[in-house]
Amino acid sequence: MAIERRRFLQAAGVGAVLGLSGCTGNTSPPEANNETSEASGGSQSEGESGATRELTLATTTSTYDTGLLDALNPVFEEKFNARVKTISQGTGAAIETARNGDADVILVHARGAEDEFLREGYGVNRRDVMFNDFVIVGPADDPAGISGMESATDAFATIAEAEATFVSRGDDSGTNKKELLIWEAAGVSPSGSWYREIGQGMGDTLVQADQSGAYTLSDRGTFLATQDNIDLEIQVQGPLKDGPTILKNPYGVIPVNPAKYPDVNYSLAMAYAGFLTGPEGQEIISNYTANGSQLFFPNALSEEPQFGQYVPEDYDGGENASESSASVSDAQFESWVAQHVPEDF
């Protein structure tokens, strides 16, 4: 298992670097150096005296495209004498990497997929880390006329009716999963020449939407980090600015279960989860900005216990668990916004 994993990581490390240059297009995350730690070989044992331990993190592209990892990981590395190997993918691919035993920990943003990962026993000790929201962006002339709409589903339905160009990531990422959920809620099965699936990360999707005069769904953080290089505008706001709660975007960290894969560096994965959700990591997240705007809002620290973060949202919830957990999740997100997002954001 260890030999196979080392080979995967060597290949994935090269692929991640090449893929990331494609994800970001011609943009560069502000206030970040755009470097991730790369090394061949699998995770080193914690017992190696004085050795630098390696942690393999599989994560969504938005944490990289925004430059947030460049603010977080060096602090963790110095604190724990560790090296973080980052595999930046869409959330679906990041979860699959961990499901195959090729990552120690994941940092992703698709609660439904995270819950499935937990139910299958591949992940343990999930923790809430931070949140922002999704926004619907498009050209300034707004050919479909969706600007200012209060409903994301109505906006999507209007785009489809007008057959206005829409660029979809089409990569099973957290953003893509959210987009498909909105199309489903709108009663639309998008198809035709106006709907373009490109299979790329958020940065590249924004660039292509800009070049095509198209609409797309973006997490707010990546949009803010790249807005100086594109002419797209936010046409429909997310819940951080009183938009619909369906556009919520929470992030979670999940260590891989060592009972499934004994060679994962579980102790270092737990240390990373603790760092992200502890005071130091949460302060770094809170202070990280681009173009003068805070990109993510930390939500791991709470005086009241938040047991729901550790288990699937519908855990032991009975027949109507899915419906009730969705409303509880929405209410919780609205509470986070009220507590953590300044009124003048």
Side-chain angles (χ1 to χ4, degrees):
M1 177 64 199
I3 294 175
E4 291 178 358
R5 186 171 183 223
R6 282 196 293 270
R7 288 174 181 166
F8 171 88
L9 293 176
Q10 287 172 333
V14 174
V17 172
L18 295 176
L20 288 170
S21 63
C23 285
T24 55
N26 296 321
T27 65
S28 297
E31 304 175 17
N33 60 22
N34 269 1
E35 293 179 359
T36 53
S37 299
E38 298 292 344
S40 62
S43 301
Q44 292 176 319
S45 167
E46 184 181 7
E48 295 180 45
S49 178
T52 298
R53 297 175 291 163
E54 184 176 289
L55 178 77
T56 301
L57 166 69
T59 186
T60 174
T61 60
S62 61
T63 60
Y64 178 88
D65 284 352
T66 58
L68 177 64
L69 292 181
D70 290 310
L72 285 167
N73 287 353
V75 179
F76 173 81
E77 290 174 331
E78 182 176 359
K79 196 177 190 71
F80 289 90
N81 187 29
R83 193 174 198 177
V84 179
K85 173 161 181 76
T86 301
I87 303 174
S88 180
Q89 308 167 291
T91 283
I95 290 176
E96 190 61 26
T97 294
R99 185 179 276 111
N100 292 333
D102 294 314
D104 302 307
V105 62
I106 60 175
L107 174 60
V108 292
H109 65 140
R111 187 60 195 265
E114 294 170 46
D115 285 351
E116 183 179 358
F117 186 70
L118 292 171
R119 285 191 204 96
E120 294 173 346
Y122 289 102
V124 291
N125 298 319
R126 183 197 176 277
R127 290 292 310 276
D128 293 326
V129 177
M130 60 190 182
F131 67 92
N132 61 17
D133 60 357
F134 293 103
V135 291
I136 303 173
V137 301
D141 61 355
D142 187 23
I146 65 167
S147 181
M149 281 190 172
E150 297 181 357
S151 167
T153 54
D154 286 351
F156 269 35
T158 301
I159 290 170
E161 185 176 0
E163 295 191 351
T165 305
F166 187 99
V167 176
S168 168
R169 285 183 60 167
D171 62 350
D172 196 36
S173 61
T175 305
N176 186 218
K177 291 176 185 293
K178 176 66 72 172
E179 178 213 319
L180 295 178
L181 184 152
I182 297 170
W183 286 122
E184 182 180 6
V188 176
S189 298
S191 62
S193 60
W194 63 273
Y195 185 71
R196 303 177 184 174
E197 296 179 277
I198 64 171
Q200 298 293 331
M202 195 69 255
D204 198 51
T205 300
L206 284 166
V207 170
Q208 291 203 33
D210 181 51
Q211 293 172 346
S212 305
Y215 296 94
T216 193
L217 182 73
S218 174
D219 68 282
R220 187 185 295 272
T222 306
F223 175 75
L224 291 174
T226 60
Q227 66 177 345
D228 282 351
N229 301 291
I230 57 177
D231 293 324
L232 299 176
E233 298 180 357
I234 295 177
Q235 303 293 355
V236 177
Q237 291 284 357
L240 297 192
K241 290 200 171 185
D242 298 321
T245 308
I246 194 173
L247 294 177
K248 65 186 178 183
N249 187 28
Y251 289 73
V253 61
I254 311 177
V256 174
N257 188 354
K260 288 279 191 181
Y261 294 107
D263 65 323
V264 298
N265 198 333
Y266 178 68
S267 61
L268 197 56
M270 286 295 291
Y272 190 73
F275 169 73
L276 292 183
T277 60
E280 189 170 15
Q282 293 283 282
E283 183 176 8
I284 292 170
I285 293 168
S286 180
N287 291 336
Y288 188 75
T289 63
N291 294 317
S293 294
Q294 184 173 343
L295 301 193
F296 302 94
F297 295 87
N299 63 335
L301 300 177
S302 173
E303 292 184 3
E304 300 296 325
Q306 303 290 333
F307 299 121
Q309 66 185 309
Y310 300 108
V311 296
E313 289 186 312
D314 60 355
Y315 181 73
D316 200 26
E319 281 185 22
N320 299 317
S322 181
E323 183 178 342
S324 63
S325 66
S327 84
V328 168
S329 175
D330 285 352
Q332 181 184 54
F333 191 88
E334 290 165 3
S335 174
W336 289 340
V337 171
Q339 291 176 41
H340 301 294
V341 180
E343 290 185 6
D344 60 353
F345 174 72

